[in-house]
């Protein structure tokens, strides 16, 4: 009898130890971003820094949820669609991550959508922007914390205050980001009386904008009223500087564009007074989360947080809240927790729209201010543009 009791006691102790070990298994999350070989690399690094800061903030510095450590696994897409698909499949399959966050380029990210569906695991899109990422080709496993092209362009249209007096020519990159953006901008102008006189699409990496600019000048120069060239380019090449050098003011033409990351904002000093819309500038939002982000980032990195730092943090805050509120740490329970979920971010409150899982969020109307004591042009806040002011199309119905 004593032997039996001893054996049962030993078995119970072993089971308890195994249960405790299981409970302490980490919650694995993959960050799937391009971190080599592309001009967008800086976007990825900002997003990853923001994500790590967000985990820290949301867990009070413990990095733990429900007694389990969050383990971040980094995957480099190299900005190549085939590599991106392979590393996401590896994360879901071999690494057994609970969910993934990525990617940076909209074109690359579009190829990840079916991988999430195949493995029946969540992909939170951050920081890629294109509307199509929550469109008809998307699926129920996709959630998107990054803003979309419709938000960019509806906010941009609101900032331009369109009416029948406004004539616009657009310049965008010829891929999902640019095409979706201009389509959204045109939709935002519907009913305002404003007209788009020309659309120019350029390859990614373009540095010579002469021919496209001449065509836009020709489309606008003889129009009566306000004439604007709208630039919607995510990459380098300095299109604003190149167009400005061709003296659009000769024809009474203005330049307008959305905000950008801090390293690009010095180029905006050439257009003092320009108005547009921006996704994030560290001085614009007024809330406790942003206060912490700005102070912490300044202390650790000797500079303020940027566009995609805020985005990465928003994604992390969404993840932690979902993990905390889901009944189980598995995909279906997380989807249930996340659909319609609202949470606080550096940009204020965001909400995952149940229909297509796009996070609705504020944008910021700015006017460029030049201060010689600041290295970059300041996108000074005119006003916050709330989500309810923008009619963001539903991409799909779950």
């Amino acid at each position: 009898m004593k032997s039996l009791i001893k054996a049962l006691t030993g078995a119970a102790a072993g089971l308890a130890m195994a249960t405790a070990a299981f409970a302490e298994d980490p919650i694995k999350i993959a960050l799937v971003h391009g971190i080599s070989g592309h001009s967008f690399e800086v976007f990825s690094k900002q997003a990853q820094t923001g994500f790590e800061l967000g985990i820290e903030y949301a867990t009070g510095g413990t990095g733990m949820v429900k007694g389990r450590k969050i383990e971040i696994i980094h995957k480099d897409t190299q900005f190549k669609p085939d590599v991106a698909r392979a590393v996401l499949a590896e994360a879901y399959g071999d690494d057994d991550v609970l969910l993934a966050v990525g990617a940076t380029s909209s074109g690359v990210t579009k190829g990840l959508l079916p991988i999430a569906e195949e493995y029946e695991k969540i992909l939170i899109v951050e920081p890629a922007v294109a509307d199509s990422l929550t469109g008809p080709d998307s699926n129920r496993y996709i959630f998107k914390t990054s803003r979309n092209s419709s938000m960019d362009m509806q906010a941009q249209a609101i900032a331009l205050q369109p009416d029948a007096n406004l004539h616009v020519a657009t310049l965008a990159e010829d891929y999902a980001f640019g095409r979706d953006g201009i389509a959204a901008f045109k939709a935002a102008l519907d009913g305002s009386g404003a007209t788009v006189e020309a659309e120019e699409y350029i390859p990614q990496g373009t540095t010579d904008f002469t021919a496209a600019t001449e065509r836009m000048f020709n489309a606008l120069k003889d129009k009566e009223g306000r004439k604007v060239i709208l630039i919607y380019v995510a990459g380098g090449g300095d299109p604003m500087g190149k167009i400005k050098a061709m003296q659009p003011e000769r024809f009474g033409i203005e330049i307008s564009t959305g905000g950008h990351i801090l390293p690009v904002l010095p180029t905006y000093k050439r257009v003092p007074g320009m108005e547009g819309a921006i996704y994030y500038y560290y001085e614009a939002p007024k809330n406790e989360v942003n206060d912490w982000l700005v102070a912490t980032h300044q202390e650790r990195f000797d500079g303020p947080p940027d566009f995609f730092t805020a985005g990465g943090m928003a994604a992390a805050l969404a993840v932690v809240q979902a993990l905390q509120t889901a009944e189980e740490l598995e995909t279906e329970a997380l989807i249930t927790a996340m659909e319609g979920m609202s949470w606080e971010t550096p940009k204020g409150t965001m909400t995952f729209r149940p229909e297509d899982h796009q996070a609705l969020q504020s944008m910021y109307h700015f006017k460029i201010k030049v201060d010689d004591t600041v290295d970059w042009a300041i996108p000074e806040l005119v006003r916050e543009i709330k989500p309810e002011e923008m009619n963001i199309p539903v991409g799909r119905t779950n």
Side-chain angles (χ1 to χ4, degrees), residues 30 32 73-76 83-97 115 119 121:
V32 184
I73 296 174
H74 294 271
K75 298 290 183 179
D76 183 6
V83 173
R85 290 190 293 269
V87 297
L88 181 59
E90 180 181 74
Y92 286 147
D94 297 346
D95 298 319
D96 195 28
V97 301
I115 306 298
Y119 282 86
K121 290 192 175 184

Side-chain angles (χ1 to χ4, degrees), residues 314-395:
L317 295 171
V319 167
V320 172
Q321 182 162 316
L323 295 175
Q324 289 171 335
T325 57
E327 292 187 0
E328 298 178 74
L329 296 184
E330 56 85 32
T331 297
E332 290 303 320
L334 288 170
I335 290 174
T336 299
M338 292 169 72
E339 286 185 339
M341 182 181 84
S342 294
W343 75 103
E344 296 308 311
T345 81
K347 295 181 63 182
T349 304
M350 289 188 186
T351 301
F352 280 129
R353 184 164 54 185
E355 294 87 349
D356 62 359
H357 300 170
Q358 170 64 54
L360 302 179
Q361 57 199 272
S362 291
M363 301 287 284
Y364 304 95
H365 176 183
F366 70 82
K367 185 173 184 177
I368 289 298
K369 174 184 174 182
V370 175
D371 182 338
D372 291 339
T373 66
V374 179
D375 290 340
W376 53 81
I378 301 167
E380 192 170 41
L381 180 66
V382 175
R383 71 179 187 91
E384 181 178 351
I385 301 172
K386 297 281 192 177
E388 54 268 25
E389 296 181 60
M390 298 177 282
N391 182 22
I392 308 302
V394 174

Side-chain angles (χ1 to χ4, degrees), residues 148-193:
N148 67 14
S149 300
S150 288
M151 293 176 192
D152 275 346
M153 291 293 97
Q154 289 208 21
Q156 190 72 16
I158 290 169
L160 287 175
Q161 302 176 348
D163 57 24
N165 193 47
L166 178 64
H167 303 273
V168 184
T170 65
L171 178 72
E173 289 169 307
D174 193 9
Y175 73 113
F177 170 81
R179 292 276 177 179
D180 285 4
I182 299 308
F185 180 73
K186 291 165 67 179
L189 294 182
D190 281 350
S192 69

Side-chain angles (χ1 to χ4, degrees), residues 59-81:
T59 64
T62 67
M64 300 184 74
V65 173
K66 295 180 177 176
R68 295 171 63 180
K69 194 76 174 176
I70 293 174
E71 178 183 342
I72 298 174
I73 296 174
H74 294 271
K75 298 290 183 179
D76 183 6
T77 70
Q78 301 175 34
F79 297 97
K80 298 175 182 177

Side-chain angles (χ1 to χ4, degrees), residues 273-336:
M274 183 189 79
E275 295 189 51
I278 192 167
Y279 160 74
Y280 174 83
Y281 180 67
Y282 70 97
E283 292 182 330
K286 306 299 180 185
N287 60 71
E288 290 182 3
V289 182
N290 192 56
D291 290 347
W292 182 91
L293 173 60
V294 172
T296 304
H297 198 280
Q298 186 72 50
E299 178 184 341
R300 295 186 190 173
F301 303 103
D302 194 28
D306 211 340
F307 247 58
F308 302 111
T309 321
M313 185 173 186
L317 295 171
V319 167
V320 172
Q321 182 162 316
L323 295 175
Q324 289 171 335
T325 57
E327 292 187 0
E328 298 178 74
L329 296 184
E330 56 85 32
T331 297
E332 290 303 320
L334 288 170
I335 290 174
T336 299

